[in-house]
Amino acid sequence: MKVFCASIATETNTFSPLRTDLSDFYESFYAPPGMHPQTPTLCSAVFPELRARAQRGEIELVEGTATWAEPAGLVSAQTWAHLRDEVLDQLRAAMPVQAVVMGLHGAMIAQDCVDCEGELLAEIRKIVGPDVKIGASFDPHSHLSAARVDNADIITVFKEFPHTDFVEAGVACVDLTLRAARGEIRPVISVFDVRMIDVLPTSRAPMRGFVDRMRALEDEGAALSLSVIHGFMAGDSPDLGVKMVVITDDAQAAGDALARKLGQELFSFRGRARPDFLDPRTALDKVAQSGSGPVVVADVWDNPGGGVPGDSTIILRHVLDMGLRDIAFGTIWDPMAVRICHAAGEGAQVKLRFGGKTSDVAGDPVDAVVRVVRVQRDAVQSFGASVVPLGDSAVIEFQGVQVVLNSTRSQAFSPDLFTNLGIDIAAKRALVVKSTNHFHGAFAPVAAEILYCAVDGPYPNDPRRTDYKTLTRAIWPRVEDPHSADGGA
């Protein structure tokens, strides 16, 4: 069996002040055919699994391009056309194939294309014809369109948020797609539109129990695969919102009924799944009163993983105003400040302006005399089995605070964000991280307490107020009862 695989992935915040072009893909992750590393990336875990199958003699594998850009703003039309056509030309050259497996994110929006992944899968279907099996793995923070469901035979989605199971989802996608290609199963996809958008962390109830039940139902044979699309509220998509996905073995009616039942349960979670979001002063008062550390404070909306710059200084200014000490920040994105620190060298004292450069709603730049504690080329952090680049980075210290400055945008995933740069996290009263929930899995074992801090900025965090242009479906919380006769029309 000949199998083609490729991966094009990013998460588009259509309200971000940033833009995305080819340089962003090349800077974050770009592997031409045959050059994918042995370790998976968030959206390319299908590659290592397919390689393992090829080494066992199960398949003949043809690898296409694998690439990822750190979430940002709209993808330029030229960039999308270039990457799309690059992969489609690779597929044409590989024909005939019996299966195609794609590692996608699912929230890419380009300047002239509101559904990049749907367009890509439709073009793949045109090339391979109706009988070749197509599998795709998605991030739950994505938009599930009819074009994707109509053109894919298998859709798997990470179940966990934080996405600690991205490898598992890639393996499942490969396994089900190959089983379908061998004729062992006849997969059919059922989707229920939950018509809501919310924050649904699986590290806490009620989503924790829901994910556990999904796994149990799979193990019992109720479905081949169960997935939840959480949606991505910062993407202006007509398909925005939560959707329940069920794949059965030629049992459409049963799949539809199960998708509806589980989807209605998801709708009942609305407004109570997210953790308590504190204002900065309340969160930092808790830090000041804490008897042990480190307390982990998540700056949930200045999260580069949501497509914003990640250079907000608002929480940092609160820390300075309150005179708190022994605090570490990871990270503030500022390539210019990093360059100045590298030029000055470790141990130097410099007058530095950093942060607050890309948005008028993320705080002003900080001006301070700082000591350069550490400089490092090509710094990294880990996210499960994946290695995440931070680019050239620097650690600065002033007024009892240490700040990690990075040149490649990334949200905080792991404490090695700090420890790789020589910061002793056990000696800190608090660690302030820019992440919504992906930090949780790795930071929870070392945290005395975890606090979620919500600061308004360039991330559109209230769907009731967000000026969506393409979203026309009734959806909670924009509509209180989107499933009513008129609201659900």
Side-chain angles (χ1 to χ4, degrees), residues 49 84 107 135 141 185 189 194 237 275 353 370 375 426 445 463 472 483:
E49 176 63 15
R84 177 200 62 207
H141 297 113
I185 56 174
I189 302 174
V194 180
S237 164
R353 168 170 285 197
V370 306
V375 295
T472 57
H483 294 283

Side-chain angles (χ1 to χ4, degrees), residues 49-50 151 216 236 272 384 439:
E49 176 63 15
L50 285 166
N151 289 289
D236 189 354
R272 60 188 182 93
F439 72 93

Side-chain angles (χ1 to χ4, degrees), residues 111-150:
Q111 205 166 342
D112 298 320
C113 183
V114 75
D115 182 15
C116 294
E117 290 87 352
E119 179 179 275
L120 179 63
L121 290 172
E123 291 300 315
I124 290 172
R125 179 59 73 192
K126 288 179 184 177
I127 293 170
V128 302
D131 298 326
V132 170
K133 301 306 177 184
I134 300 174
S137 177
F138 288 107
D139 187 296
H141 297 113
S142 56
H143 314 295
L144 188 63
S145 67
R148 304 178 194 194
V149 177
D150 291 344

Side-chain angles (χ1 to χ4, degrees), residues 42-66:
L42 182 67
C43 294
S44 68
V46 297
F47 275 72
E49 176 63 15
L50 285 166
R51 282 181 178 174
R53 303 283 186 127
Q55 289 166 1
R56 295 198 295 266
E58 292 183 33
I59 61 171
E60 174 190 351
L61 178 61
V62 180
E63 294 186 11
T65 294

Side-chain angles (χ1 to χ4, degrees), residues 191-213:
V191 178
F192 179 76
D193 186 354
V194 180
R195 291 183 177 267
M196 92 176 173
I197 182 67
D198 206 351
V199 180
L200 303 172
T202 62
S203 50
R204 53 182 284 127
M207 285 301 295
R208 177 70 266 144
F210 189 86
V211 169
D212 292 342
R213 286 197 302 281

